[in-house]
Amino acid sequence: MATTEPKTQMEAQFRRVADEAWSKGDYDVLDEVLADGYVSTQYQLDQSFRGVDEYRALIDSYREAMSDLTVHIDDLIVADDCVVCRYRVTGTHEGTLHVRGMEIPPTGKTIETPGISVVRFDGDRCIEEFNSPHALGMMEQLGVISSGSSTTDEASA
């Protein structure tokens, strides 16, 4: 349902961060789009990243683990000073992934995991993000944890 032509400046800025920084590793866009004092709360990591440098390091850690990481925007809604996005991330796990104190060695597996992001703007600058990817699904796809389907089958027997 996503369109290729942004309807607002906020949508355009959001799409630039997803495409340029996350999907291509071009971090120059962050200096142009993120406000001073920007805070990104990443629920899957139980952590907030403050400022351009910390956010760049977050993206870089994922791109080091999955150099072909791509963000696909499935739905995007602009309301008042916010952009709400339903997205999917795809990539091949070819480097060490650092998640919540764990170091997950490369598995060679390809992942596709959905998420929801809410980004608040002040003018054309992102000032705050709340991001919630399906981290459990990603860990299952990587084989780090089991899918739990056998547990459900046993419980219902």
Side-chain angles (χ1 to χ4, degrees):
M1 236 174 105
T3 62
T4 55
E5 288 299 317
K7 294 180 180 157
T8 68
Q9 183 68 19
M10 291 186 303
E11 178 181 349
Q13 299 293 60
F14 183 93
R15 287 181 183 277
R16 286 188 66 205
V17 171
D19 183 50
E20 295 174 34
W22 281 97
S23 296
K24 295 178 182 167
D26 180 0
Y27 303 132
D28 291 343
V29 67
L30 300 178
D31 292 316
E32 298 171 29
V33 175
L34 304 185
D36 292 337
Y38 174 78
V39 177
S40 175
T41 300
Q42 301 288 317
Y43 291 114
Q44 82 281 13
L45 300 174
D46 195 27
Q47 186 176 357
S48 292
F49 296 83
R50 300 180 184 284
V52 171
D53 291 339
E54 286 187 14
Y55 192 64
R56 180 182 294 116
L58 167 69
I59 297 170
D60 202 40
S61 72
Y62 278 95
R63 291 197 51 77
E64 285 177 3
M66 294 175 250
S67 62
D68 64 344
L69 182 143
T70 304
V71 175
H72 308 270
I73 296 175
D74 294 324
D75 288 307
L76 193 140
I77 300 165
V78 178
D80 298 325
D81 63 347
C82 290
V83 170
V84 179
C85 179
R86 185 175 63 85
Y87 65 88
R88 287 172 296 119
V89 173
T90 58
T92 307
H93 183 214
E94 297 175 332
T96 302
L97 179 62
H98 303 274
V99 178
R100 297 188 99 167
M102 294 185 292
E103 289 189 4
I104 303 166
T107 63
K109 295 182 179 179
T110 299
I111 60 106
E112 180 174 342
T113 187
I116 300 285
S117 183
V118 179
V119 178
R120 198 162 58 86
F121 283 78
D122 182 8
D124 65 349
R125 295 282 185 147
C126 301
I127 58 173
E128 183 175 42
E129 174 189 25
F130 299 94
N131 186 43
S132 187
H134 184 25
L136 181 61
M138 182 178 74
M139 294 298 157
E140 290 172 344
Q141 291 174 47
L142 293 176
V144 175
I145 60 173
S146 67
S147 66
S149 58
S150 62
T151 306
T152 304
D153 294 341
E154 292 170 7
S156 62

